[in-house]
Amino acid sequence: MTESIVAGGHRRIRPFNTADTYPEQKLSNDLCQAVVAGNTVYLRGQVAQDLETRECVAVGDPAGQAHKTVDNIELLLSEAGASLEHIVSCDVYLTDVRYREDVYRVLGERLKGVFYASTGLVVDALARPEWVVEVTATAVIP
């Protein structure tokens, strides 16, 4: 099973330090990919990055990045004891409004029947220039 720790009474899934993930930014923040607090799962913003290798995938392909992002969300929810159907909200960040149709088509296919609350935002940039979509999600395990 993937590494997790208990801190502050909550389970932290896939803890890491930003010095390892973003060495060029000279930051040192202790973060994790997901926090399980009671029956609620809070996910860090997910992007088209392989969670094992930290390699960026689907560069230049908004739909491909959306698929990888949902893959990561699904994997992390599974590690937290939840599934896609437990999602209650998502925030979707795009770096260009022209990517909206491609990204939301993928989200519509992958999250069909979930009926989650959602906010969509267009931002100037994400943490890496090759990322064009980022999705945060919160799930509640019944």
Side-chain angles (χ1 to χ4, degrees), residues 13-34:
I13 297 171
R14 293 181 181 249
F16 68 96
N17 186 284
T18 54
D20 300 324
T21 305
Y22 306 105
E24 74 282 0
Q25 295 180 8
K26 297 179 180 40
L27 299 171
S28 180
N29 298 75
D30 290 328
L31 303 175
C32 62
Q33 294 292 341

Side-chain angles (χ1 to χ4, degrees), residues 35-42 138-141:
V35 175
V36 181
N39 65 335
T40 303
V41 182
Y42 301 92
T138 302
V140 177
I141 304 167

Side-chain angles (χ1 to χ4, degrees), residues 75-91:
L75 174 65
L76 291 167
L77 287 175
S78 173
E79 291 175 3
S83 65
L84 292 176
E85 68 184 12
H86 297 134
I87 292 174
V88 296
S89 69
C90 290
D91 294 327

Side-chain angles (χ1 to χ4, degrees), residues 1-141:
M1 179 160 203
T2 302
E3 181 183 0
S4 68
I5 60 172
V6 175
H10 307 303
R11 188 160 56 104
R12 319 288 175 159
I13 297 171
R14 293 181 181 249
F16 68 96
N17 186 284
T18 54
D20 300 324
T21 305
Y22 306 105
E24 74 282 0
Q25 295 180 8
K26 297 179 180 40
L27 299 171
S28 180
N29 298 75
D30 290 328
L31 303 175
C32 62
Q33 294 292 341
V35 175
V36 181
N39 65 335
T40 303
V41 182
Y42 301 92
L43 297 186
R44 178 176 193 260
Q46 294 301 305
V47 294
Q49 182 178 43
D50 185 293
L51 291 174
E52 302 303 327
T53 66
R54 298 188 178 113
E55 293 296 318
C56 297
V57 299
V59 174
D61 177 9
Q65 288 197 20
H67 274 293
K68 181 59 179 171
T69 297
V70 178
D71 289 347
N72 287 349
I73 290 169
E74 188 170 29
L75 174 65
L76 291 167
L77 287 175
S78 173
E79 291 175 3
S83 65
L84 292 176
E85 68 184 12
H86 297 134
I87 292 174
V88 296
S89 69
C90 290
D91 294 327
V92 181
Y93 300 86
L94 301 174
T95 59
D96 191 318
V97 72
R98 293 173 291 187
Y99 302 147
R100 187 177 190 279
E101 190 173 329
D102 288 340
V103 168
Y104 277 82
R105 184 174 291 116
V106 170
L107 294 176
E109 292 167 1
R110 299 286 304 273
L111 301 175
K112 185 93 175 146
V114 175
F115 299 102
Y116 55 97
S118 181
T119 299
L121 302 131
V122 178
V123 297
D124 287 333
L126 298 171
R128 293 205 185 277
E130 55 269 28
W131 296 334
V132 300
V133 59
E134 183 167 343
V135 178
T136 63
T138 302
V140 177
I141 304 167

